[in-house]
Amino acid sequence: MAEHTLDTATRAKRRYRRDMIIASVLYVGAVFAGALAIRTFAPPQWALIVLALLPLAPALLMLRAFIIFLGEIDEFQRRIQTEAVLISAAVVGFSSFAYSFLEEWADFPRVSLIWVFPALIGVWGLAACVVRWRYK
C-alpha cells in the first residue's frame, strides 16, 4: 500500500513539474512577445489590451497545474499547502492593505499591483517551507 502511495505522489510531482515548466515557458514567451510587439508595432488600443492580458493564459495554466496537484497529493501534504496559501494570503493581503494606507496618507511611493501576485507566490513558497518544518 505504501508503495502505491509513493508511486501516486511521485507521478503527481512529475506531472506538476512538467505542467509548471510548460506554463512557465509559455508565460515568459507571452511577456517577451507582448513587450516586443508593443515596442515594435505601436498596436491599436484593443491590441494593447489583448497583449497586456496575454500572460494571464499561461498563469491560469499554472493555477490549473497547482489545483490538479493539490487534488492528487495526500491529506497531510494538502494540509501543508493549504496552510501555506492561507499564510501567504494573510501576509500579502494585510501588507498590501497597510501599504495602501501609507501611499494614500503618508505619501509613500506608488507600487504597481503587478507585484502582488508574485509576492503571493513567493511568500507561499516560504510559508510552505516553514509549515513543513513545523510539522517535522
Side-chain angles (χ1 to χ4, degrees):
M1 184 68 172
E3 189 175 312
H4 173 69
T5 304
L6 183 61
D7 287 343
T8 303
T10 301
R11 277 196 306 272
K13 287 177 187 175
R14 284 184 185 149
R15 178 181 176 163
Y16 176 70
R17 220 176 278 127
R18 181 200 68 212
D19 290 351
M20 286 300 282
I21 288 169
I22 291 168
S24 297
V25 168
L26 291 172
Y27 175 81
V28 169
V31 169
F32 280 107
L36 182 65
I38 290 169
R39 288 189 185 128
T40 305
F41 301 114
Q45 184 66 25
W46 68 268
L48 287 172
I49 293 168
V50 170
L51 290 168
L53 296 177
L54 190 60
L56 292 180
L60 287 170
L61 289 176
M62 291 177 192
L63 177 61
R64 179 181 178 271
F66 177 69
I67 290 170
I68 290 170
F69 176 69
L70 202 59
E72 293 177 339
I73 57 178
D74 65 44
E75 291 89 17
F76 178 64
Q77 294 300 322
R78 192 174 304 129
R79 180 178 179 151
I80 289 171
Q81 294 302 320
T82 303
E83 284 185 35
V85 167
L86 288 172
I87 291 167
S88 180
V91 168
V92 174
F94 280 100
S95 296
S96 61
F97 188 54
Y99 194 82
S100 295
F101 280 108
L102 294 171
E103 284 180 342
E104 290 297 320
W105 294 353
D107 294 323
F108 272 49
R110 297 275 180 208
V111 175
S112 173
L113 289 174
I114 200 168
W115 297 107
V116 172
F117 193 62
L120 189 65
I121 300 302
V123 173
W124 163 53
L126 292 173
C129 292
V130 170
V131 171
R132 196 174 292 117
W133 173 77
R134 193 180 73 207
Y135 280 112
K136 286 188 177 193

